[in-house]
Amino acid sequence: MKPLRATIAAITALAVSSAGCTTITTIRTNPDKASVYLNGQKLGETPVQYNSKSGLPTRYRVQLQKEGYRTEEFYVDTPINVAWAVLLGWMVVPLLWAWEMDSQYNFNLRPDERPAPALPPPPPPPAMEPWSPPPSPPATP
């Protein structure tokens, strides 16, 4: 009976580990229409969806850009899916597929409040010669 149990466990482990689950993650911003970059590659404008594959723990670099707002850059670490970890905890290989991105991330963009570049001061007026009265007419005899 033990060989049968070991065979079933091995087949189950192989099937689950080779399947590779996909998670659909939605990235939203307030306001919408921000450009989203994941590990340097543009995904599109928010709201945008990303299909991530479950697997080993992964760190994603996310950048959000929108004109008039600060460019935001941060990292998202894939958390472990506790349900998968509990369900497959007795198998080591499938446990490696228990890390996945959350289904949704929401971000509030901050307005770019840097002061506008200062305008240079106006040039000084051109130098003027001092005023002098017009010459008096010549005296007549």
Side-chain angles (χ1 to χ4, degrees), residues 18-139:
S18 64
C21 299
T22 299
T23 301
I24 297 174
T25 300
T26 302
I27 299 173
R28 299 178 190 278
T29 59
N30 180 25
D32 285 340
K33 304 294 183 195
S35 295
V36 178
Y37 296 86
L38 190 69
N39 295 334
Q41 294 184 352
K42 186 171 182 176
L43 290 181
E45 291 186 342
T46 59
V48 66
Q49 290 187 332
Y50 174 69
N51 293 327
S52 63
K53 207 165 177 104
S54 301
L56 293 172
T58 306
R59 173 170 273 197
Y60 295 95
R61 182 171 59 107
V62 180
Q63 291 175 300
L64 303 172
Q65 296 178 348
K66 183 172 177 72
E67 189 171 330
Y69 291 84
R70 293 183 186 183
T71 297
E72 303 288 348
E73 179 175 319
F74 50 90
Y75 292 89
V76 173
D77 293 319
T78 53
I80 190 166
N81 182 323
V82 177
W84 275 111
V86 170
L87 181 65
L88 303 174
W90 58 276
M91 294 185 276
V92 176
V93 174
L95 186 58
L96 297 177
W97 273 260
W99 279 269
E100 61 187 20
M101 290 183 80
D102 290 340
S103 62
Q104 183 168 297
Y105 294 94
N106 298 306
F107 302 99
N108 290 318
L109 299 179
R110 298 177 292 171
D112 190 357
E113 297 174 352
R114 289 179 286 183
L119 296 175
M128 297 182 72
E129 294 184 23
W131 182 81
S132 57
S136 40

